[in-house]
């Protein structure tokens, strides 16, 4: 396990430049810290080394890397939030939570996609679980470890199927829809490898 260094923090700011849109300086630095921890505690050296997939081996893009998805979902969520706030000034939508939540929604992926973890889990699934912890739950762990507020940890934990078991916050709803929308559009636009399309995105007639 590597240490979190200033160089790694700088690298995270460079790989996820949308972090600069977070107005609260403390929140901004905690997002950077959480991502630096996510990488330091994995065998990856960069978010750009992680394959651009929704789950390991599923919904794999034909090009790019994991930052393309994370940044795309964040920008999509920001634009949806901007539209809803502009046309509904009384809607209590928090810009900073949307951006931090977008950037952190898949922060558990370095863990779930880690080749060393995959090998360990696949060797003895009934001993370890496969995976032992999915990325939304591990993402909650990292967010809280880095001192991020529960609103952001909630988005990491509830962005995927796990969120069907709870009531999603307003910002969590925006990020969840941005994530689903991003994958649905990626599929419709022909940038998902056909053999990796997961069941929930399959339709009798292809999207
Ligand atoms: Fe995602």
């Amino acid at each position: 396990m590597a240490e979190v260094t200033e160089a790694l923090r700088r690298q995270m700011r460079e790989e996820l430049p949308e972090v600069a849109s977070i107005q609260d300086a403390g929140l901004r630095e905690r997002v950077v810290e959480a991502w630096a921890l996510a990488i330091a505690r994995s065998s990856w050296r960069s978010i750009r080394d992680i394959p651009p997939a929704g789950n390991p081996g599923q919904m794999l893009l034909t090009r790019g890397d994991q930052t393309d998805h994370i940044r795309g979902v964040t920008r999509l969520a920001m634009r949806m939030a901007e539209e809803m706030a502009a046309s509904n000034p009384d809607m209590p939508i928090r810009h900073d939570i949307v951006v931090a939540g977008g950037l952190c929604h898949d922060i558990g992926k370095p863990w779930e996609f880690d080749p060393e973890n995959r090998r360990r889990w696949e060797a003895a699934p009934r001993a370890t679980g496969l995976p032992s912890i999915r990325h939304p739950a591990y993402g909650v762990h990292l967010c809280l470890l880095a001192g991020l507020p529960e609103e952001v940890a909630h988005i990491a934990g509830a962005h995927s199927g796990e969120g069907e078991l709870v009531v999603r916050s307003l910002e969590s709803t925006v990020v969840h829809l941005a994530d689903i929308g991003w994958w649905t559009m990626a599929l419709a636009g022909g940038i998902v490898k056909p053999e990796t399309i997961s069941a929930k995105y399959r339709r009798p007639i292809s999207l």
Side-chain angles (χ1 to χ4, degrees):
M1 192 165 76
E3 288 291 306
V4 170
T5 61
E6 200 44 51
L8 185 57
R9 292 188 186 103
R10 204 176 317 118
Q11 183 191 327
M12 295 300 100
R13 284 188 208 101
E14 197 241 331
E15 293 185 2
L16 300 172
E18 288 74 17
V19 78
S21 307
I22 299 172
Q23 282 151 18
D24 183 285
L27 184 63
R28 194 161 61 229
E29 290 321 302
R30 283 190 284 275
V31 168
V32 170
E33 197 63 26
W35 263 109
L37 266 174
I39 292 299
R41 296 187 171 205
S42 76
S43 60
W44 308 102
R45 297 280 68 90
S46 161
I47 310 169
R48 292 180 180 141
D49 293 338
I50 303 172
N55 287 296
Q58 285 185 4
M59 299 298 280
L60 180 62
L61 299 182
T62 55
R63 56 165 182 259
D65 62 61
Q66 191 60 233
T67 65
D68 296 313
H69 170 69
I70 292 164
R71 298 182 57 196
V73 167
T74 302
R75 292 191 301 258
L76 200 51
M78 287 165 74
R79 287 176 184 177
M80 291 201 294
E82 192 188 335
E83 164 56 30
M84 293 308 284
S87 48
N88 306 279
D90 54 337
M91 194 179 274
I93 193 159
R94 292 163 295 182
H95 168 270
D96 272 7
I97 299 296
V98 170
V99 183
L103 290 171
C104 291
H105 83 280
D106 275 342
I107 197 164
K109 278 186 179 174
W111 160 268
E112 194 184 349
F113 284 54
D114 193 318
E116 289 179 15
N117 285 339
R118 306 290 323 166
R119 266 194 295 278
R120 195 162 48 79
W121 299 333
E122 280 160 15
R126 292 302 187 177
T128 61
L130 175 61
S132 61
I133 306 167
R134 253 168 57 79
H135 68 274
Y138 196 80
V140 170
H141 163 66
L142 286 171
C143 288
L144 297 178
L145 199 61
L148 280 163
E150 70 175 334
E151 289 94 325
V152 177
H154 163 68
I155 293 174
H159 77 273
S160 194
E162 288 82 348
E164 303 304 321
L165 302 173
V166 301
V167 174
R168 289 189 178 96
S169 71
L170 174 55
E171 294 82 0
S172 183
T173 301
V174 172
V175 173
H176 164 65
L177 291 174
D179 191 35
I180 294 289
W182 195 95
W183 285 115
T184 305
M185 289 185 276
L187 184 56
I191 61 165
V192 177
K193 291 190 177 175
E195 66 275 20
T196 69
I197 297 169
S198 50
K200 75 173 176 180
Y201 286 95
R202 273 195 216 115
R203 297 288 186 278
I205 298 167
S206 290
L207 283 171

